[in-house]
Amino acid sequence: MGVPFADSPRPTLGVEWEIALVDRTTRDLSNTAAEVLGAVGGLADKPRVTKELLRNTVEFVTGICDNVGEAIDDLSETMSLVRRAADPLGVDLMCAGTHPFAQWSTQLITRTPHYDELIERTQWWGRQMLIWGVHVHVGISSKEKVFPILNALLLKYPHLLALSASSPMWTGVDTGYASNRALMFQQLPTAGLPFQFENWTQFEGYVDDQLTTGVIDNLGGLHWDIRPAPRWGTIEVRVCDGISSLTELSALVALIHCLVVYLDERLDAGETLPSMQPWHVQENKWRAARYGIDAEVILGADNSERLVTDDLNDLLEKLTPTAVRLGCADELARVADIPRRGASYQRQRKVAAATGGDLRAVVGSLVNELDT
Protein backbone atom coordinates (compact mmCIF):
# COMPACT_ATOMS: atom_id res chain seq x y z
CA MET A 1 0.00 0.00 0.00
CA GLY A 2 1.07 3.58 -0.55
CA VAL A 3 1.81 5.81 2.43
CA PRO A 4 1.39 9.47 1.41
CA PHE A 5 3.83 11.95 2.93
CA ALA A 6 2.84 15.60 3.35
CA ASP A 7 6.07 17.20 2.10
CA SER A 8 7.18 20.12 4.23
CA PRO A 9 8.66 22.90 2.09
CA ARG A 10 10.85 24.13 4.95
CA PRO A 11 12.37 22.51 8.07
CA THR A 12 9.54 23.40 10.43
CA LEU A 13 9.70 22.47 14.10
CA GLY A 14 7.18 21.04 16.55
CA VAL A 15 7.68 19.86 20.13
CA GLU A 16 5.63 17.65 22.44
CA TRP A 17 6.63 17.83 26.13
CA GLU A 18 5.09 15.31 28.52
CA ILE A 19 4.58 16.75 32.01
CA ALA A 20 3.85 14.87 35.24
CA LEU A 21 1.37 16.19 37.81
CA VAL A 22 2.52 15.85 41.42
CA ASP A 23 0.84 16.52 44.74
CA ARG A 24 2.32 19.60 46.39
CA THR A 25 2.36 17.99 49.83
CA THR A 26 3.17 14.31 49.34
CA ARG A 27 5.17 14.78 46.10
CA ASP A 28 3.54 11.60 44.80
CA LEU A 29 1.87 11.60 41.39
CA SER A 30 -1.57 13.19 41.22
CA ASN A 31 -4.24 11.61 38.99
CA THR A 32 -5.87 14.98 38.32
CA ALA A 33 -5.29 15.51 34.59
CA ALA A 34 -9.04 15.71 33.88
CA GLU A 35 -9.49 18.42 36.50
CA VAL A 36 -6.43 20.34 35.33
CA LEU A 37 -7.47 20.16 31.69
CA GLY A 38 -10.99 21.22 32.61
CA ALA A 39 -9.63 24.27 34.41
CA VAL A 40 -7.31 25.07 31.50
CA GLY A 41 -10.31 25.00 29.18
CA GLY A 42 -11.88 27.72 31.28
CA LEU A 43 -8.82 29.92 30.92
CA ALA A 44 -8.14 29.69 27.17
CA ASP A 45 -10.14 28.98 24.02
CA LYS A 46 -7.65 26.67 22.29
CA PRO A 47 -4.97 25.64 24.79
CA ARG A 48 -2.06 23.62 23.41
CA VAL A 49 -2.23 20.92 26.06
CA THR A 50 -3.65 17.43 25.71
CA LYS A 51 -4.43 14.33 27.75
CA GLU A 52 -2.22 11.26 27.74
CA LEU A 53 -2.46 7.54 28.57
CA LEU A 54 -2.19 8.15 32.32
CA ARG A 55 -4.31 10.59 34.30
CA ASN A 56 -1.20 11.91 36.06
CA THR A 57 0.10 13.42 32.81
CA VAL A 58 -0.58 16.30 30.47
CA GLU A 59 1.28 17.04 27.26
CA PHE A 60 2.29 20.49 26.05
CA VAL A 61 2.16 20.67 22.23
CA THR A 62 3.51 23.55 20.15
CA GLY A 63 2.07 24.80 16.92
CA ILE A 64 4.10 24.62 13.72
CA CYS A 65 7.20 26.71 14.46
CA ASP A 66 10.05 28.04 12.35
CA ASN A 67 12.74 28.04 15.02
CA VAL A 68 13.63 26.95 18.54
CA GLY A 69 12.89 30.28 20.16
CA GLU A 70 9.36 30.27 18.79
CA ALA A 71 8.79 26.71 20.05
CA ILE A 72 10.11 27.47 23.54
CA ASP A 73 8.00 30.62 23.79
CA ASP A 74 4.98 28.52 22.83
CA LEU A 75 5.74 25.93 25.52
CA SER A 76 6.42 28.60 28.14
CA GLU A 77 3.03 30.16 27.48
CA THR A 78 1.34 26.77 27.86
CA MET A 79 3.25 26.08 31.07
CA SER A 80 2.07 29.33 32.60
CA LEU A 81 -1.52 28.53 31.65
CA VAL A 82 -1.39 25.02 33.10
CA ARG A 83 0.23 26.28 36.29
CA ARG A 84 -2.67 28.70 36.76
CA ALA A 85 -5.07 25.80 36.39
CA ALA A 86 -3.14 23.36 38.60
CA ASP A 87 -2.21 25.68 41.45
CA PRO A 88 -5.66 25.85 43.12
CA LEU A 89 -5.77 22.04 43.04
CA GLY A 90 -2.55 21.76 45.05
CA VAL A 91 -0.79 20.27 42.02
CA ASP A 92 2.75 21.05 40.82
CA LEU A 93 4.37 20.30 37.45
CA MET A 94 7.47 18.16 36.95
CA CYS A 95 9.31 16.49 34.11
CA ALA A 96 11.69 13.53 34.16
CA GLY A 97 11.83 10.17 32.44
CA THR A 98 10.33 8.53 35.53
CA HIS A 99 8.99 9.58 38.94
CA PRO A 100 11.48 8.60 41.67
CA PHE A 101 9.09 6.69 43.93
CA ALA A 102 5.54 6.52 42.54
CA GLN A 103 3.96 3.06 42.22
CA TRP A 104 2.61 2.15 38.80
CA SER A 105 -0.15 0.02 40.30
CA THR A 106 -1.93 3.05 41.80
CA GLN A 107 -2.10 5.11 38.61
CA LEU A 108 -5.32 5.65 36.67
CA ILE A 109 -5.73 5.18 32.93
CA THR A 110 -7.40 7.76 30.69
CA ARG A 111 -10.42 5.89 29.32
CA THR A 112 -10.61 6.05 25.54
CA PRO A 113 -11.13 3.21 23.04
CA HIS A 114 -7.53 3.60 21.87
CA TYR A 115 -6.00 3.49 25.35
CA ASP A 116 -8.33 0.69 26.44
CA GLU A 117 -7.21 -1.43 23.48
CA LEU A 118 -3.56 -0.63 24.16
CA ILE A 119 -3.77 -1.82 27.77
CA GLU A 120 -5.82 -4.88 26.82
CA ARG A 121 -3.13 -5.88 24.37
CA THR A 122 0.02 -5.00 26.31
CA GLN A 123 -1.24 -5.97 29.81
CA TRP A 124 1.46 -5.89 32.53
CA TRP A 125 4.01 -4.03 30.44
CA GLY A 126 1.47 -1.49 29.25
CA ARG A 127 0.25 -0.77 32.78
CA GLN A 128 3.84 -0.15 33.87
CA MET A 129 4.48 2.64 31.36
CA LEU A 130 4.93 5.24 34.08
CA ILE A 131 7.32 7.23 31.90
CA TRP A 132 7.63 10.64 30.26
CA GLY A 133 9.49 11.83 27.16
CA VAL A 134 9.95 14.62 24.63
CA HIS A 135 9.10 14.32 20.95
CA VAL A 136 10.57 16.69 18.37
CA HIS A 137 9.20 16.97 14.81
CA VAL A 138 11.30 18.44 12.00
CA GLY A 139 9.84 19.07 8.54
CA ILE A 140 11.24 17.11 5.58
CA SER A 141 10.72 18.18 1.98
CA SER A 142 10.43 14.71 0.44
CA LYS A 143 9.59 11.20 1.57
CA GLU A 144 12.67 9.93 -0.28
CA LYS A 145 14.85 11.78 2.23
CA VAL A 146 13.20 10.32 5.31
CA PHE A 147 15.06 7.05 5.75
CA PRO A 148 18.53 8.25 4.73
CA ILE A 149 18.17 10.96 7.38
CA LEU A 150 16.57 8.65 9.96
CA ASN A 151 19.28 6.01 9.53
CA ALA A 152 22.01 8.64 9.90
CA LEU A 153 20.34 10.07 13.02
CA LEU A 154 20.78 6.69 14.69
CA LEU A 155 24.53 7.35 14.90
CA LYS A 156 23.73 10.23 17.26
CA TYR A 157 21.08 8.36 19.23
CA PRO A 158 23.35 7.80 22.25
CA HIS A 159 24.27 11.48 22.38
CA LEU A 160 20.61 12.50 22.64
CA LEU A 161 19.75 9.84 25.20
CA ALA A 162 22.82 10.45 27.36
CA LEU A 163 22.23 14.20 27.49
CA SER A 164 18.53 13.88 28.34
CA ALA A 165 18.75 10.83 30.65
CA SER A 166 16.57 11.59 33.67
CA SER A 167 15.14 8.28 34.89
CA PRO A 168 17.62 6.65 37.28
CA MET A 169 14.98 5.71 39.86
CA TRP A 170 11.94 3.48 39.62
CA THR A 171 9.36 2.82 42.38
CA GLY A 172 11.78 4.04 45.03
CA VAL A 173 14.84 2.13 43.84
CA ASP A 174 17.94 3.43 42.09
CA THR A 175 18.12 1.18 39.03
CA GLY A 176 21.81 1.83 38.30
CA TYR A 177 20.76 3.16 34.88
CA ALA A 178 20.82 6.74 33.67
CA SER A 179 17.69 6.11 31.59
CA ASN A 180 15.47 3.32 32.83
CA ARG A 181 12.67 4.77 30.68
CA ALA A 182 14.42 3.97 27.40
CA LEU A 183 14.68 0.27 28.19
CA MET A 184 11.20 0.01 29.69
CA PHE A 185 9.46 1.61 26.74
CA GLN A 186 10.99 -0.78 24.22
CA GLN A 187 9.10 -3.67 25.85
CA LEU A 188 5.95 -2.58 24.03
CA PRO A 189 5.44 -4.53 20.78
CA THR A 190 5.92 -1.66 18.33
CA ALA A 191 8.30 0.50 20.39
CA GLY A 192 12.08 0.77 20.47
CA LEU A 193 14.59 1.25 17.69
CA PRO A 194 13.28 1.70 14.14
CA PHE A 195 14.09 -0.63 11.27
CA GLN A 196 16.66 0.79 8.86
CA PHE A 197 14.84 0.77 5.55
CA GLU A 198 16.73 1.76 2.43
CA ASN A 199 13.87 3.78 0.97
CA TRP A 200 10.22 4.78 1.34
CA THR A 201 8.98 1.87 -0.78
CA GLN A 202 10.41 -0.65 1.67
CA PHE A 203 8.67 1.21 4.49
CA GLU A 204 5.37 1.07 2.63
CA GLY A 205 5.77 -2.70 2.30
CA TYR A 206 6.40 -2.97 6.04
CA VAL A 207 3.34 -0.86 6.85
CA ASP A 208 1.20 -3.07 4.62
CA ASP A 209 2.45 -6.18 6.45
CA GLN A 210 1.71 -4.63 9.85
CA LEU A 211 -1.79 -3.52 8.91
CA THR A 212 -2.66 -6.78 7.18
CA THR A 213 -1.57 -8.91 10.14
CA GLY A 214 -3.23 -6.65 12.71
CA VAL A 215 -0.03 -5.56 14.45
CA ILE A 216 -1.24 -1.95 14.09
CA ASP A 217 -4.48 -0.42 12.85
CA ASN A 218 -2.95 2.96 11.95
CA LEU A 219 0.49 4.51 11.55
CA GLY A 220 0.29 6.07 15.00
CA GLY A 221 0.64 2.55 16.39
CA LEU A 222 4.33 2.57 15.46
CA HIS A 223 6.02 3.89 18.62
CA TRP A 224 9.62 3.85 17.36
CA ASP A 225 12.27 6.02 19.03
CA ILE A 226 12.65 7.83 15.70
CA ARG A 227 9.83 7.54 13.20
CA PRO A 228 8.32 9.15 10.12
CA ALA A 229 5.20 11.22 10.76
CA PRO A 230 3.71 11.17 7.22
CA ARG A 231 0.61 13.16 8.12
CA TRP A 232 2.73 16.12 9.20
CA GLY A 233 5.60 15.69 6.72
CA THR A 234 8.16 15.30 9.51
CA ILE A 235 10.68 13.03 11.13
CA GLU A 236 9.72 12.64 14.79
CA VAL A 237 12.63 12.15 17.20
CA ARG A 238 11.37 10.44 20.37
CA VAL A 239 14.72 9.40 21.85
CA CYS A 240 14.86 11.80 24.79
CA ASP A 241 13.79 11.14 28.34
CA GLY A 242 11.51 13.73 29.89
CA ILE A 243 13.65 16.88 29.96
CA SER A 244 13.73 18.49 33.39
CA SER A 245 14.21 22.18 32.60
CA LEU A 246 13.16 24.65 29.95
CA THR A 247 16.77 25.66 29.29
CA GLU A 248 17.87 22.07 28.67
CA LEU A 249 14.80 21.51 26.53
CA SER A 250 15.74 24.47 24.32
CA ALA A 251 19.29 23.11 24.00
CA LEU A 252 18.24 19.60 23.00
CA VAL A 253 15.53 20.81 20.63
CA ALA A 254 18.20 22.95 18.96
CA LEU A 255 20.53 19.96 18.70
CA ILE A 256 17.83 17.84 17.06
CA HIS A 257 16.72 20.60 14.69
CA CYS A 258 20.30 21.27 13.62
CA LEU A 259 21.11 17.57 13.19
CA VAL A 260 18.14 16.94 10.90
CA VAL A 261 18.70 20.07 8.83
CA TYR A 262 22.45 19.39 8.56
CA LEU A 263 21.79 15.87 7.26
CA ASP A 264 19.09 17.13 4.90
CA GLU A 265 21.50 19.68 3.43
CA ARG A 266 24.16 17.03 2.94
CA LEU A 267 21.65 15.00 0.95
CA ASP A 268 20.87 18.04 -1.19
CA ALA A 269 24.62 18.42 -1.81
CA GLY A 270 24.66 14.92 -3.29
CA GLU A 271 26.38 13.17 -0.39
CA THR A 272 25.57 9.67 0.85
CA LEU A 273 24.67 9.80 4.52
CA PRO A 274 26.35 7.41 6.95
CA SER A 275 24.59 4.48 8.58
CA MET A 276 25.64 1.86 11.10
CA GLN A 277 25.05 -1.80 11.74
CA PRO A 278 21.81 -2.39 13.70
CA TRP A 279 23.70 -4.33 16.36
CA HIS A 280 25.95 -1.32 17.00
CA VAL A 281 22.91 0.98 17.18
CA GLN A 282 21.33 -1.36 19.73
CA GLU A 283 24.50 -1.53 21.80
CA ASN A 284 24.84 2.26 21.79
CA LYS A 285 21.29 2.64 23.07
CA TRP A 286 22.05 0.30 25.96
CA ARG A 287 25.36 2.02 26.79
CA ALA A 288 23.73 5.46 26.86
CA ALA A 289 20.84 4.17 28.97
CA ARG A 290 23.21 2.50 31.41
CA TYR A 291 26.07 5.01 31.67
CA GLY A 292 24.61 8.30 30.42
CA ILE A 293 27.25 10.92 29.68
CA ASP A 294 29.98 8.51 30.82
CA ALA A 295 29.15 6.10 27.99
CA GLU A 296 31.79 5.10 25.47
CA VAL A 297 29.91 4.78 22.21
CA ILE A 298 30.52 3.17 18.85
CA LEU A 299 30.92 5.87 16.20
CA GLY A 300 30.45 4.04 12.95
CA ALA A 301 30.71 0.96 10.79
CA ASP A 302 34.50 0.88 11.34
CA ASN A 303 33.95 -0.09 15.04
CA SER A 304 35.73 3.00 16.38
CA GLU A 305 34.72 4.09 19.89
CA ARG A 306 34.86 7.32 21.87
CA LEU A 307 33.53 8.86 25.07
CA VAL A 308 30.18 10.36 24.12
CA THR A 309 31.00 13.80 25.56
CA ASP A 310 34.26 14.01 23.60
CA ASP A 311 32.41 13.25 20.39
CA LEU A 312 29.71 15.74 21.38
CA ASN A 313 32.21 18.61 21.39
CA ASP A 314 33.17 17.92 17.78
CA LEU A 315 29.51 17.52 16.80
CA LEU A 316 28.55 20.90 18.26
CA GLU A 317 31.37 22.60 16.37
CA LYS A 318 30.24 20.93 13.14
CA LEU A 319 26.62 22.02 13.67
CA THR A 320 27.30 25.62 14.67
CA PRO A 321 27.03 27.09 11.12
CA THR A 322 23.67 25.33 10.74
CA ALA A 323 22.55 26.73 14.09
CA VAL A 324 23.49 30.25 13.01
CA ARG A 325 21.34 29.88 9.88
CA LEU A 326 18.43 28.49 11.93
CA GLY A 327 18.71 31.22 14.55
CA CYS A 328 19.47 28.88 17.46
CA ALA A 329 23.22 29.29 17.99
CA ASP A 330 22.77 30.33 21.62
CA GLU A 331 20.50 27.37 22.36
CA LEU A 332 22.86 24.90 20.67
CA ALA A 333 25.80 26.25 22.68
CA ARG A 334 23.90 25.40 25.88
CA VAL A 335 24.14 21.70 25.04
CA ALA A 336 27.74 21.78 26.29
CA ASP A 337 26.51 23.06 29.66
CA ILE A 338 24.65 19.81 30.40
CA PRO A 339 27.74 17.65 31.06
CA ARG A 340 29.37 20.51 32.96
CA ARG A 341 26.36 20.98 35.20
CA GLY A 342 25.55 17.29 35.40
CA ALA A 343 22.73 15.60 33.50
CA SER A 344 19.36 15.27 35.20
CA TYR A 345 19.97 11.69 36.33
CA GLN A 346 23.17 12.86 38.05
CA ARG A 347 21.45 15.84 39.69
CA GLN A 348 18.68 13.61 41.02
CA ARG A 349 21.19 11.21 42.56
CA LYS A 350 23.08 14.15 44.08
CA VAL A 351 19.92 15.43 45.80
CA ALA A 352 19.10 11.93 47.05
CA ALA A 353 22.60 11.53 48.49
CA ALA A 354 22.53 14.95 50.13
CA THR A 355 19.18 14.30 51.83
CA GLY A 356 19.82 10.80 53.09
CA GLY A 357 17.77 9.21 50.33
CA ASP A 358 14.72 11.50 50.61
CA LEU A 359 13.06 10.96 47.24
CA ARG A 360 10.41 13.57 47.99
CA ALA A 361 13.28 16.07 47.98
CA VAL A 362 14.28 14.76 44.55
CA VAL A 363 10.77 15.46 43.27
CA GLY A 364 10.91 18.92 44.84
CA SER A 365 14.15 19.67 43.00
CA LEU A 366 12.57 18.60 39.71
CA VAL A 367 9.55 20.79 40.34
CA ASN A 368 11.84 23.75 41.02
CA GLU A 369 13.92 23.11 37.89
CA LEU A 370 11.10 23.00 35.38
CA ASP A 371 11.03 26.58 34.17
CA THR A 372 14.70 27.39 34.79
Side-chain angles (χ1 to χ4, degrees), residues 88-233:
L89 301 171
V91 172
D92 285 331
L93 311 181
M94 178 204 96
C95 189
T98 56
H99 186 283
F101 64 85
Q103 302 296 312
W104 64 268
S105 57
T106 63
Q107 307 309 313
L108 302 178
I109 305 294
T110 301
R111 299 303 303 272
T112 69
H114 170 69
Y115 290 144
D116 288 349
E117 193 279 332
L118 175 65
I119 295 300
E120 170 60 26
R121 184 176 184 214
T122 59
Q123 290 295 304
W124 190 78
W125 276 115
R127 291 194 296 272
Q128 287 205 89
M129 290 296 117
L130 196 58
I131 54 177
W132 296 271
V134 171
H135 308 156
V136 180
H137 291 258
V138 180
I140 303 296
S141 62
S142 166
K143 64 185 180 182
E144 299 307 327
K145 291 182 172 183
V146 169
F147 281 98
I149 293 173
L150 187 156
N151 296 341
L153 281 172
L154 290 172
L155 277 73
K156 303 308 178 186
Y157 185 115
H159 305 61
L160 298 175
L161 182 57
L163 289 164
S164 67
S166 61
S167 51
M169 300 165 194
W170 174 252
T171 62
V173 176
D174 191 319
T175 65
Y177 282 77
S179 173
N180 191 50
R181 178 206 65 93
L183 301 185
M184 285 193 64
F185 188 55
Q186 69 184 15
Q187 305 309 314
L188 296 184
T190 61
L193 292 167
F195 294 103
Q196 296 187 46
F197 297 112
E198 292 182 8
N199 52 52
W200 192 259
T201 301
Q202 283 189 356
F203 173 64
E204 289 177 324
Y206 167 83
V207 170
D208 186 59
D209 289 346
Q210 301 300 289
L211 291 170
T212 300
T213 58
V215 176
I216 59 172
D217 55 17
N218 62 75
L219 280 174
L222 298 177
H223 299 292
W224 293 340
D225 298 336
I226 308 176
R227 68 182 182 181
R231 177 184 177 187
W232 308 113

Side-chain angles (χ1 to χ4, degrees), residues 268-291:
D268 285 343
E271 297 182 39
T272 299
L273 298 184
S275 61
M276 190 162 62
Q277 300 94 316
W279 45 92
H280 283 346
V281 173
Q282 180 175 301
E283 173 64 13
N284 273 346
K285 177 178 180 177
W286 185 87
R287 291 185 187 186
R290 170 64 179 88
Y291 300 109

Side-chain angles (χ1 to χ4, degrees), residues 304-331:
S304 59
E305 297 174 277
R306 196 179 187 192
L307 184 66
V308 68
T309 47
D310 289 343
D311 194 60
L312 177 67
N313 293 332
D314 290 348
L315 176 63
L316 294 178
E317 183 176 349
K318 184 185 297 183
L319 293 178
T320 295
T322 303
V324 171
R325 291 196 301 276
L326 293 174
C328 62
D330 290 343
E331 290 90 344

Side-chain angles (χ1 to χ4, degrees), residues 11 61 178 238:
V61 181
R238 300 155 51 89

